[in-house]
Amino acid sequence: HGEKVKKIDKNKLEVLTPTFLRDDKDFYYEGKELNVDMETFTYTIQTVCIKGEDKNKKYEYNCDVEGWVLIH
């Protein structure tokens, strides 16, 4: 929390939740880049559960287990 991410474009920043952000280059969670494929990444936010998927991998946060899970 409160970390500065130098790569975020403040002019294109979109706050999705207090800890889940995006700009035109990537998605970020608590200041960390998720390194998603921006062309194919889709996500849903359900209360505290965030699910995302791109052409390479699937992600879940606080769904069945606490924290980020990378699903191959």
Side-chain angles (χ1 to χ4, degrees), residues 2-69:
E3 294 178 38
K4 289 185 180 180
V5 180
K6 294 178 183 176
K7 296 181 181 182
I8 289 180
D9 184 340
K10 293 177 188 174
N11 296 319
K12 297 181 180 177
L13 180 65
E14 183 179 353
V15 178
L16 305 170
T17 75
T19 56
F20 189 49
L21 314 171
R22 72 171 286 177
D23 64 10
D24 62 327
K25 295 179 182 61
D26 208 343
F27 281 77
Y28 307 87
Y29 184 77
E30 290 188 348
K32 296 181 179 118
E33 292 179 81
L34 296 182
N35 296 313
V36 301
D37 178 77
M38 291 297 286
E39 296 291 319
T40 62
F41 187 69
T42 59
Y43 65 92
T44 59
I45 300 172
Q46 306 160 349
T47 316
V48 297
C49 173
I50 301 170
K51 292 184 179 188
E53 179 176 351
D54 65 19
K55 69 179 183 179
N56 301 311
K57 51 197 171 247
K58 294 181 180 182
Y59 311 79
E60 288 187 356
Y61 177 75
N62 278 350
C63 297
D64 296 324
V65 295
E66 188 173 326
W68 276 106
V69 177

